[in-house]
Amino acid sequence: VQLQASGGGLVQAGGSLRLSCAASGNIAGINLMGWYRQAPGKQRELVASITSSGSTAYVDSVKGRFTISRDTAKNTVYLQMNSLNPEDTAVYYCYVDRIRQAGSLSMKTDFWGQGTQVTVSS
């Protein structure tokens, strides 16, 4: 199972970016998908998550600016980031907690994407 993230880049404050993360590997089902970020010198933090039923959660600092969504058919999670500010600068990692592969009854746990850099200039 692999997670492939894309969509990072350099943007001015107030701008927008959309991150994508596609899971692959004969996948039959995915539980929770999410995005973490890690800024230099700081701990990795959970930014947003979405369950298989579509329930979402956000860290307070991004509420009203970021939107997480998923395309179940494509095994893909998105993070639409609007009104970006320099404090959002970080490496963003997609995460999946549990995956069931086709032909298997068991779940595999804890998958991470490779990280994508988001830099917001002031």
Side-chain angles (χ1 to χ4, degrees):
V1 176
Q2 290 187 330
L3 302 184
Q4 182 67 44
S6 61
L10 174 64
V11 65
Q12 289 187 334
S16 299
L17 284 174
R18 188 190 194 211
L19 306 183
S20 301
C21 178
S24 61
N26 198 27
I27 295 170
I30 296 176
N31 187 46
L32 180 141
M33 306 183 81
W35 290 93
Y36 282 74
R37 68 185 178 186
Q38 187 166 21
K42 295 187 177 181
Q43 290 187 331
R44 189 174 295 190
E45 68 170 350
L46 178 61
V47 176
S49 64
I50 183 167
T51 68
S52 56
S53 61
S55 295
T56 59
Y58 300 90
V59 68
D60 285 347
S61 61
V62 308
K63 286 180 179 177
R65 300 187 298 120
F66 291 10
T67 302
I68 190 170
S69 61
R70 64 191 282 177
D71 184 329
T72 301
K74 296 181 178 179
N75 295 320
T76 299
V77 62
Y78 306 96
L79 186 67
Q80 178 66 42
M81 305 184 293
N82 299 328
S83 301
L84 285 161
N85 58 61
E87 290 70 39
D88 296 315
T89 295
V91 177
Y92 284 70
Y93 299 89
C94 58
Y95 169 75
V96 168
D97 72 338
R98 288 181 291 166
I99 287 177
R100 184 174 65 82
Q101 291 184 292
S104 174
L105 295 177
S106 63
M107 305 288 281
K108 295 184 177 180
T109 60
D110 297 325
F111 299 92
W112 292 91
Q114 81 280 16
T116 184
Q117 177 70 46
V118 172
T119 303
V120 184
S121 63
S122 58

